[in-house]
Each structure stands twice: as structure tokens, then as C-alpha cells.
Amino acid sequence: MTIPLRQSLRIGGYILGQRLRGRTKFPLLVELEPLFACNLKCGGCGKIQHPADVLKRRMPVEQAVAAIEECGAPMVSIAGGEPLMHPQIGELVRRLVGMKKYVFLCTNALLIPKKIDEFEPSRYFAWTVHIDGVRERHDAAVCKEGVFDAAVAAVRECQRRGFRVTTNTTFFSSDSPQTVIEVLDYLNDDLAVDQMMISPAYAYEKAPVQDRFMGVRETRALFREAFTGGRRRRWRFNHSPLFLDFLEGRTELPCTAWAIPSYSLFGWQRPCYLMADGYAQTYRELIEDTDWSAYGRGRDPRCDNCMAHCGYEPTAVLATLGSLKESLRAIRSG
């Protein structure tokens, strides 16, 4: 785990402060979606299937900033759609960085060459480039040739300019332990990104392709084999050891979707980034008016095969900070 020390201390202090105030539900990171439009049409994506009038909408910067201020989360992941299509994306990032929020801009990287001059390197800012495999596999995942090479070139340019660069990789039923190893070795060793985030794909109901999503047993078997031979420790993951244990099936964790809420053009999404059972106008309303006991494995069939980081990584982080043994293990893994 290679989370910067300053960021780790900030998040740890934030969690301690929330607990001292007696709060049992609070946000660690907000998935901010200032638009749904994208310049790609990936087969496994359920975010671009909105009507044309919705895809044309862009969230005002003031609205986005107000939502982050209201909930108080220390970290923000700006997603979409493709957030670099937002005409004020540079201004939005500057405002959030000015608030000393840790900002991760999730992008397919195609627009980075056009937009990079709008951003400045900062310890509070990182690019998060989506890469789902090495060349042919990635291009197949995003349904367009040449995207992998363009993304790699953009990453190298960001690194040249002194930006922090992370990646996000989604794995599907078409993956094998060898393809997992191949892409993570490439990102870790050849491309030398700062951190890597991984997740099994979530079975979006509206995704164009429905036969590529893994079940729990399939997911555990995939990661258990891929992580053998000391590779898990060598790779620079942006994950807690407990979450990686969870992916392997070495531990069970409950979902804490309230800790990584999603705020979009429609408001605060219930119950999480992956499912849309209505929207709240404030984070407080989201917390207080959502029946959280109705969600999770064994409670809602849509949750039965979900092992995505947006539901389970915060559980692992909270459990780690609540255990001296796990905290020491996390420190040793860094």
C-alpha cells in the first residue's frame, strides 16, 4: 500500500474525529459525477445509457462544491461519464484542491493532451486513468482501437510534468489470473504509476454486454491465484490489506455504501454509485432516509455478486483503523 503518509494521517484523524462526535455513518470519499456524457461506449458501462437530454447536462461548479462542503468528505473522486468533457473541469478541481480535499480525476485519458494545461501538480490532486488490460484487452473493453496507446502516452506526459498518476482497473469474467498479472505488472513496473486500484466489474442492469460479470466464487478464485507468489505485496495498490483479503475470500466484510456516496446531476444517489433507487437532496437526507438494512449480500439480489471497492474498501479501512493488529499490518505493507 503506497498511500502518502500525509494523506493517511489526514484520513485517520478525520475518522477519529467523526467517532469522537458519536457519528456512525459519515463519508470518506464522494463519487462526484458532474456529467454522464462520455467519449467512449464501453460494453460493461451502465453510466452512459441516459436519454440524450440528460447526457447534455453539466453540473455547475458551485453546485458540486456545495455538495462536497455539505457532506465534509476529505476525498473526492470525480467521475462520469468522462469528466474532462466538462467545460469547467479545471475550475472545479482548483476549487476542491483549494479546500484541501484529496481529488482523484477519473478519466479514460483521451482528452488529457487537450486539457492538461488547465491543471497543476499538487499533493491534493491525482489523475486516475482507467486501464482494463494491456493493449488488445483494454481496447476490447472500451470497444475502440488505439485507446490503450493513447492512455499510456497521456500517463507518461502527466508523469513528465510532475503529476501524481494512479490507475483504476476493472476485471471481467473474460479475465484470467494471467491477464490480471500481465496488466498489473505493466502498470506497476513498466508504466510505474504511483498507485493502482482494482475491482471486479459490477453487473449494471443497463450495460450493453451482460455476459462478462463474475460471481463471488469466480472473483475470489481469480484474485487468489493472481495474488500468489508474493505479487500482491510487490504491487503498489491503493487498497488496504483487508480489502485485498476480501477479494481473495480470506475474510468477509459488510458493505458500507454510505461511506463512499455518489453525488450526480440528480442528487445523492441511493444507495450507492452502482444502484439508483432514488435520490436525496442532501447527504444528511441520504443517511437518515435510506433503509440501509435493505441492502447487501443476502438482502438485495442486486448486491449478491458485488465485491466492488466503493462498497467494501471503506469497510476495510474502518476495520483497519479500529484494530491495532490490522493497523500494524497496513503499515508494514506500505
Side-chain angles (χ1 to χ4, degrees):
M1 190 169 61
T2 58
I3 299 174
L5 178 60
R6 185 188 296 267
Q7 182 179 339
S8 297
L9 293 174
R10 167 87 174 276
I11 303 308
Y14 167 80
I15 293 173
L16 178 60
Q18 297 298 310
R19 286 176 167 168
L20 290 175
R21 293 179 178 88
R23 295 171 182 166
T24 58
K25 291 183 175 64
F26 48 87
L28 293 179
L29 177 147
V30 173
E31 292 278 5
L32 177 64
E33 296 178 292
L35 78 173
F36 293 123
C38 189
N39 52 350
L40 290 176
K41 296 181 179 179
C42 304
C45 180
K47 289 290 183 177
I48 58 171
Q49 310 306 318
H50 292 284
D53 62 317
V54 174
L55 293 178
K56 292 178 182 178
R57 292 174 57 186
R58 307 290 184 262
M59 184 184 295
V61 170
E62 291 298 335
Q63 179 183 340
V65 169
I68 303 305
E69 287 181 327
E70 185 250 324
C71 75
M75 297 182 288
V76 182
S77 175
I78 305 178
E82 171 50 59
L84 288 179
M85 292 177 65
H86 194 294
Q88 284 85 43
I89 188 62
E91 178 186 351
L92 175 56
V93 168
R94 285 192 295 274
R95 291 283 298 275
L96 295 175
V97 166
M99 296 161 61
K100 296 185 177 180
K101 303 294 183 181
Y102 288 96
V103 179
F104 302 86
L105 199 157
C106 303
T107 175
N108 57 43
L110 294 181
L111 293 175
I112 285 180
K114 180 179 179 181
K115 294 279 191 171
I116 193 169
D117 289 337
E118 296 184 24
F119 303 89
E120 295 181 359
S122 166
R123 67 170 178 263
Y124 293 106
F125 175 71
W127 298 97
T128 298
V129 178
H130 201 98
I131 297 181
D132 282 346
V134 178
R135 191 168 284 109
E136 290 80 8
R137 292 194 68 81
H138 181 68
D139 289 352
V142 301
C143 305
K144 186 175 182 179
E145 292 185 4
V147 176
F148 176 83
D149 289 335
V152 167
V155 167
R156 294 197 187 282
E157 177 62 15
C158 290
Q159 292 170 325
R160 188 188 70 81
R161 295 197 185 199
F163 286 98
R164 195 158 167 262
V165 182
T166 66
T167 55
N168 183 20
T169 302
T170 304
F171 294 106
F172 298 85
S173 60
S174 56
D175 277 293
S176 67
Q178 186 54 44
T179 65
V180 174
I181 293 167
E182 183 180 40
V183 67
L184 295 182
D185 273 349
Y186 178 81
L187 297 173
N188 191 85
D189 302 335
D190 296 89
L191 201 53
V193 299
D194 292 281
Q195 295 173 291
M196 302 179 297
M197 186 165 59
I198 61 175
S199 185
Y202 178 78
Y204 286 108
E205 293 178 348
K206 293 184 179 181
V209 179
Q210 286 291 316
D211 60 354
R212 299 175 59 193
F213 303 108
M214 294 183 286
V216 171
R217 289 185 180 180
E218 198 176 2
T219 297
R220 289 171 173 170
L222 176 70
F223 288 113
R224 190 181 301 120
E225 187 170 345
F227 287 167
T228 60
R231 287 181 289 264
R232 170 177 151 173
R233 181 172 177 81
R234 187 176 64 81
W235 288 327
R236 291 185 299 278
F237 282 127
N238 183 17
H239 291 298
S240 63
L242 264 181
F243 178 72
L244 299 176
D245 288 349
F246 171 71
L247 289 181
E248 287 190 70
R250 294 167 58 187
T251 189
E252 284 288 352
L253 296 172
C255 176
T256 51
W258 44 264
I260 301 187
S262 174
Y263 185 76
S264 71
L265 294 164
F266 300 135
W268 294 95
Q269 185 169 315
R270 290 191 177 99
C272 66
Y273 178 72
L274 303 171
M275 295 161 55
D277 288 355
Y279 296 85
Q281 294 307 302
T282 66
Y283 179 74
R284 181 175 180 178
E285 180 187 339
L286 174 74
I287 294 301
E288 295 180 352
D289 294 352
T290 302
D291 182 7
W292 299 103
S293 66
Y295 299 100
R297 196 168 298 147
R299 298 174 181 175
D300 188 312
R302 295 171 297 176
C303 303
D304 285 348
N305 288 311
C306 178
M307 297 181 70
H309 56 265
C310 63
Y312 293 97
E313 178 65 84
T315 316
V317 170
L318 294 170
T320 295
L321 293 177
S323 165
L324 177 59
K325 177 183 176 181
E326 290 299 333
S327 294
L328 291 174
R329 185 160 77 111
I331 292 171
R332 288 195 298 269
S333 72

